[in-house]
Amino acid sequence: METIHLKTVDPFSQDLLRAAEQKGFDLNWERYENLQPQDGFLRLGLSCPYGCMQGPCRIDPFGRGPKRGLCGLDRDGMVGAFFLRLILQGVLEVFKEKEPSFKQNIQSLSEKAIEKTGGSQVSVSDIHRSATMLVRPAQSPADMVRQSIRLGILACHLMYRENESTQYIPCKAGYGLLSGKQPIIGVAGAPDRESINALYETLCQKETEPARLLSLGEWIELKNQFLPCVCTTGEAELLLSSGKISLLLSGPKTDPGLFEICRRLNIPVVDAGSSFEIDNILRSARDYHSTHSQIEAEPDPSMIGEGQVALSANLLQQAFKSGKDARVAIVGGFDTPQLSLGWIPAELTKALRGMDHLVAAWGDAALWVIKEGLSAPEQPSPVMILDPYRGPLHAVSALAAIGRIDTLSGICFTGLSGCHELAVALGLAAMGNRVCIATPLPLWGSETIRNLLSDNLKDCGGLLMHYDHPAEAEEILDWFAQT
Ligand code: SF4
């Protein structure tokens, strides 16, 4: 436990961690530690990703074992294909089986990259072409990299959606939301929004709130606000281990680790992927609450931060215009046990503000910013809170629309929740932006592929910074300062 600060910067989370250890719970951090060292071949991109049944072939990164696969594929071909496979997966995660509507602002930012990577408009046919390229090795590493970049742009088009809202949407986050005597219902994954909204309104209408509904790190938009987040996604399992949550409402994409801890603690779980019975949920939550001991450490009720989410391009444009000539930094992404939770979002944001940057945040990083009070309206330069999933795309589009894209110092992904975020990060770099990813990418098995990637992105006017280790906050700050 002397390394507890390497797991999370939040003091209350650290208390919960100590309690979890005393109870003998293995949480996401322990599983991460037990998995070390993770597969070196995969981490370097030297495990063959082709749809080939003659493998699996792996190439020895140190040159003492195999230097080529069975078919003769070398390390550059393997790493290039591995990267393309990840980006293709990212596109499939956001693909809705139809051509995206190409929004003009994103289209004009991508024109240079499209010209440099073949000239034809990116489209759904790029998905089929990439899948074909991954059947058997036939394409050059350069083709693999160019095709990955095209897919990155396609992912941005698929992810981007306009939002017409004219009002900021309030949000709250922090362990202070736990204070009180009622049972607490935690929501995870991507639940049915209508059902969650109905439950939330039912609870608010009762004279004495029979239970409190809180998000375990997911951004769930209700009618005029986001469901308050008691923690970030990386802390959800830890919070469940405390016994303070009396029922889990789990939508699709809920982290499997949450089910396991609920099973161990007998916390009732209800599927929130479609409509559910409100009375049954309340009864189950009350039953659990009345029969189980509660958390020893009570959080201070004041541990709640607030923010205002700008979901529309118009609101973002106004906010960026009022930022006068300040430089802009965008920081976001999802929690990962590779880095102490909250460390990079909090440290980086404070330092960038000290460097006169207007900072905008999305995802778990935004929740950390809110928890730290950095987005509070009374702050001298409150951090802007962006759409939790499309935030960087909206921000880049808004800056371009007002002719201020040159004031963007960079976009930092503090952690990646899926391949679609890697694809979007690549697409944003291809659109001419400086992009940094704080967690390592499996590109370190081939210097050729790394050079091809950086040369191609340079031709597009962009840059993708990545490291062979989980990055330190200071390294990322230095990278921002290089503009
Ligand atoms: S494509 Fe080549 S390197 Fe890959 S698994 Fe098949 S034989 Fe091995």
Side-chain angles (χ1 to χ4, degrees):
M1 279 287 130
E2 65 279 359
T3 57
I4 203 163
H5 65 286
L6 299 177
K7 296 181 176 177
T8 172
V9 297
D10 188 310
F12 190 75
S13 286
Q14 293 176 359
D15 288 344
L16 293 182
L17 263 168
R18 288 186 195 94
E21 194 203 37
Q22 279 168 10
K23 292 176 198 159
F25 290 142
D26 277 349
L27 303 175
N28 37 350
W29 290 278
E30 283 70 39
R31 291 198 298 276
Y32 174 72
E33 282 170 7
N34 289 336
L35 284 165
Q36 302 311 306
Q38 284 176 298
D39 188 323
F41 297 100
L42 281 166
R43 291 199 71 166
L44 295 171
L46 290 174
S47 181
C48 185
Y50 280 96
C52 162
M53 299 307 289
Q54 298 197 38
C57 300
R58 294 168 154 194
I59 291 176
D60 184 348
F62 303 110
R64 294 191 288 260
K67 293 186 174 59
R68 288 177 181 269
L70 188 59
C71 62
L73 183 67
D74 66 11
R75 60 195 299 149
D76 302 328
M78 205 173 270
V79 174
F82 198 102
F83 190 59
L84 178 59
R85 171 74 69 189
L86 292 177
I87 304 296
L88 174 61
Q89 172 64 34
V91 168
L92 293 173
E93 284 169 11
V94 292
F95 177 49
K96 299 274 193 281
E97 294 178 2
K98 58 176 191 187
E99 284 288 350
S101 50
F102 293 96
K103 294 286 181 299
Q104 187 50 46
N105 39 7
I106 293 287
Q107 180 64 18
S108 40
L109 288 169
S110 356
E111 267 164 11
K112 192 169 180 184
I114 289 171
E115 183 205 317
K116 297 279 179 192
T117 55
S120 61
Q121 173 62 34
V122 293
S123 70
V124 169
S125 64
D126 278 290
I127 297 176
H128 303 303
R129 180 171 145 71
S130 307
T132 306
M133 289 171 80
L134 289 166
V135 174
R136 285 286 285 178
Q139 309 287 332
S140 70
D143 285 342
M144 295 282 178
V145 169
R146 274 195 295 272
Q147 188 60 22
S148 300
I149 291 174
R150 288 179 63 80
L151 284 182
I153 296 165
L154 180 61
C156 292
H157 281 291
L158 289 165
M159 278 285 282
Y160 189 85
R161 299 247 195 311
E162 298 278 350
N163 184 299
E164 302 302 326
S165 60
T166 54
Q167 303 284 327
Y168 285 89
I169 314 288
C171 56
K172 289 182 183 174
Y175 283 123
L177 292 162
L178 290 174
S179 59
K181 299 288 179 209
Q182 313 99 313
I184 292 172
I185 298 170
V187 186
D192 179 69
R193 223 170 80 180
E194 294 298 312
S195 307
I196 294 292
N197 206 53
L199 175 58
Y200 190 77
E201 290 191 349
T202 302
L203 294 176
C204 292
Q205 280 159 12
K206 305 250 184 200
E207 211 167 284
T208 50
E209 204 180 15
R212 189 172 298 163
L213 188 65
L214 297 174
S215 165
L216 303 183
E218 305 291 347
W219 290 78
I220 300 163
E221 193 184 345
L222 304 178
K223 280 195 181 139
N224 301 311
Q225 62 176 311
F226 279 93
L227 184 65
C229 281
V230 63
C231 62
T232 63
T233 58
E235 298 170 316
E237 198 178 327
L238 175 63
L239 179 56
L240 282 165
S241 78
S242 73
K244 185 71 177 171
I245 304 297
S246 300
L247 183 138
L248 175 68
L249 268 175
S250 73
K253 300 183 188 165
T254 296
D255 189 333
L258 305 193
F259 296 124
E260 175 57 20
I261 199 77
C262 287
R263 190 190 61 74
R264 283 191 70 176
L265 291 174
N266 295 319
I267 299 171
V269 178
V270 174
D271 177 10
S274 56
S275 60
F276 44 77
E277 266 299 321
I278 292 178
D279 286 345
N280 287 347
I281 283 172
L282 289 177
R283 195 175 312 114
S284 297
R286 272 198 302 263
D287 285 351
Y288 185 89
H289 184 71
S290 61
T291 53
H292 289 75
S293 62
Q294 297 302 301
I295 192 169
E296 296 88 15
E298 280 292 335
D300 184 335
S302 68
M303 289 164 57
I304 302 174
E306 297 191 11
Q308 303 281 328
V309 187
L311 291 177
S312 74
N314 268 347
L315 287 172
L316 281 176
Q317 287 174 25
Q318 286 164 24
F320 286 133
K321 275 183 194 160
S322 64
K324 305 217 171 63
D325 294 321
R327 296 201 65 78
V328 175
I330 307 173
V331 178
F334 287 80
D335 282 350
T336 164
Q338 294 183 49
L339 293 160
S340 180
L341 298 191
W343 177 46
I344 291 192
E347 290 304 308
L348 200 55
T349 302
K350 287 177 200 162
L352 285 166
R353 290 199 320 173
M355 290 160 56
D356 290 332
H357 274 69
L358 182 61
V359 183
W362 86 93
D364 277 327
L367 289 177
W368 283 103
V369 161
I370 295 169
K371 276 162 51 128
E372 291 276 325
L374 299 169
S375 58
E378 60 274 15
Q379 284 273 327
S381 178
V383 174
M384 291 167 61
I385 306 298
L386 304 172
D387 180 293
Y389 307 103
R390 301 178 183 88
L393 288 167
H394 282 179
V396 163
S397 163
L399 283 168
I402 60 169
R404 285 197 48 194
I405 193 71
D406 57 327
T407 62
L408 179 59
S409 292
I411 306 165
C412 173
F413 285 71
T414 58
L416 302 173
S417 72
C419 292
H420 63 282
E421 289 182 325
L422 174 60
V424 167
L426 178 61
L428 284 164
M431 288 181 206
N433 301 296
R434 297 178 82 244
V435 178
C436 166
I437 299 177
T439 50
L441 301 181
L443 290 171
W444 293 89
S446 167
E447 189 178 359
T448 301
I449 294 296
R450 294 198 303 279
N451 289 341
L452 278 169
L453 187 59
S454 90
D455 291 348
N456 273 273
L457 292 174
K458 197 170 168 193
D459 283 349
C460 306
L463 181 148
L464 181 66
M465 182 69 185
H466 59 101
Y467 306 85
D468 62 358
H469 57 277
E472 306 268 331
E474 293 77 16
E475 287 176 283
I476 300 177
L477 192 59
D478 287 347
W479 176 78
F480 268 108
Q482 283 163 14
T483 49

